[in-house]
Amino acid sequence: MTTRRPAQTWNGPHTSLAREAVLLAPYAMHSADTAGRKHFESPHSYRGPFARDRDRIVHSAAYRRLSYKTQVFTGEMGDYHRTRLTHTLEVASMARTLGRALALNEDLIEAMALAHDIGHPPFGHAGEDTLNECLADDGGFNHNRQALRIVEQLETRYHEFPGLNLSSEVLEGQLARATKSSGGGEGTLLETQVVDAADSVAYNTHDADDALELGLLDLNELLALPLWKEASRRVCQRYADLTSNELRRAVLHELIDWQVGDLIAVAQRRLAGDAIESVDEARRAGVVIRPGDEVAEQKAELERFLYARVYRHDQVLAMRTDAQRSLWEMFAGYVDRPDLLPAKFRQRAETDGLARSVGDYLAGMTDRFAQREYQRRFTGDCEG
Ligand code: MG
């Protein structure tokens, strides 16, 4: 009979620091080394700073609203496919797996993963593109920057400060995401890289799955792509005589398991090979969490296919047109009639400008709230 050691009791304000000292790698972001928060707060008696950040995100209004925001396909198209919230949870799940395997800070990873898409407006990228056009003269709109605006200013849960007063490292990860196109991403924490890698695996896999379920794609089209072909070969080595549905499910599992395993193996080789032993060394190492060359090439081919066949599908484009029209009309309508805005956004207009404040209000809406408001206020279809 094996005898287990009595569970260690982690009491007191240094709970998370002690756990991390035992469990995390030297290249992980330890809570003890956090640069802190903009507004000083005393340490919590039993939660570490990043666990506290994660809890603040989960309790925010912007996070809850993700359940009624489009990932790629709108609510009218069915109930099977991912919403922005379930996408976020899949990213958090994979990112935690990666983080645990690499002995990184899972609390920080989870906080960043749960917040990574919190700035998305209604109607997915169609909504984002429209708000970017509406705000073209006022700095434009980008969901990654909006996420920062939400957690730094727009959430109003606490008396002592605006926003959620998150730890510097969570904000830094989101800022890297927001500035990626202008050379950001270099010098990022491994925890930030893990979230980005998990995001990519998640949407590549689930967008294909959702498109299959909706009948926008045929399984054989995907199985002709190298990534799916290889995953299917691996599955068929283990199981014989799978039905088409069984094959699809097994390939989806294999795709995730294989890609996550590949990310871990590549990172472990790099970390060991370059003897990366501190956060500073990890920051100087460039992108460590990345797929191997073969997987990267095959993923790129899948992404090109999804772009052409799914994101540009007639049904998706039709939703785009509707969403763009209603958001444009609402933007113009609220700018014309700021008295229709909730008091909070009328007040913000005084400091941030009316256009930005209308953009914030529209970006915070769920798909269904935006549709209802559009009907109620701007079409004359129903009185309200
Ligand atoms: Mg995402």
Side-chain angles (χ1 to χ4, degrees), residues 279-329:
V279 171
D280 285 344
E281 285 172 3
R283 282 186 189 278
R284 287 197 295 271
V287 183
V288 172
I289 315 295
R290 64 194 316 161
D293 292 344
E294 195 186 348
V295 175
E297 209 172 289
Q298 296 181 358
K299 262 187 82 180
E301 193 168 341
L302 172 64
E303 280 172 16
R304 285 192 291 274
F305 174 84
L306 290 174
Y307 184 82
R309 293 295 319 281
V310 177
Y311 307 141
R312 301 272 126 193
H313 193 281
D314 288 350
Q315 285 188 46
V316 175
L317 290 180
M319 176 281 278
R320 221 184 136 81
T321 309
D322 287 350
Q324 286 177 321
R325 192 187 57 241
S326 59
L327 274 178
W328 256 115
E329 287 182 25

Side-chain angles (χ1 to χ4, degrees), residues 306-370:
L306 290 174
Y307 184 82
R309 293 295 319 281
V310 177
Y311 307 141
R312 301 272 126 193
H313 193 281
D314 288 350
Q315 285 188 46
V316 175
L317 290 180
M319 176 281 278
R320 221 184 136 81
T321 309
D322 287 350
Q324 286 177 321
R325 192 187 57 241
S326 59
L327 274 178
W328 256 115
E329 287 182 25
M330 280 200 283
F331 182 82
Y334 283 116
V335 167
D336 202 37
R337 290 277 315 273
D339 57 298
L340 295 177
L341 288 170
K344 172 182 162 183
F345 292 94
R346 285 203 305 275
Q347 274 163 19
R348 290 204 71 89
E350 288 169 23
T351 50
D352 298 1
L354 179 58
R356 179 59 55 188
S357 197
V358 170
D360 287 338
Y361 181 47
L362 293 176
M365 291 181 178
T366 60
D367 292 12
R368 62 181 190 176
F369 184 81

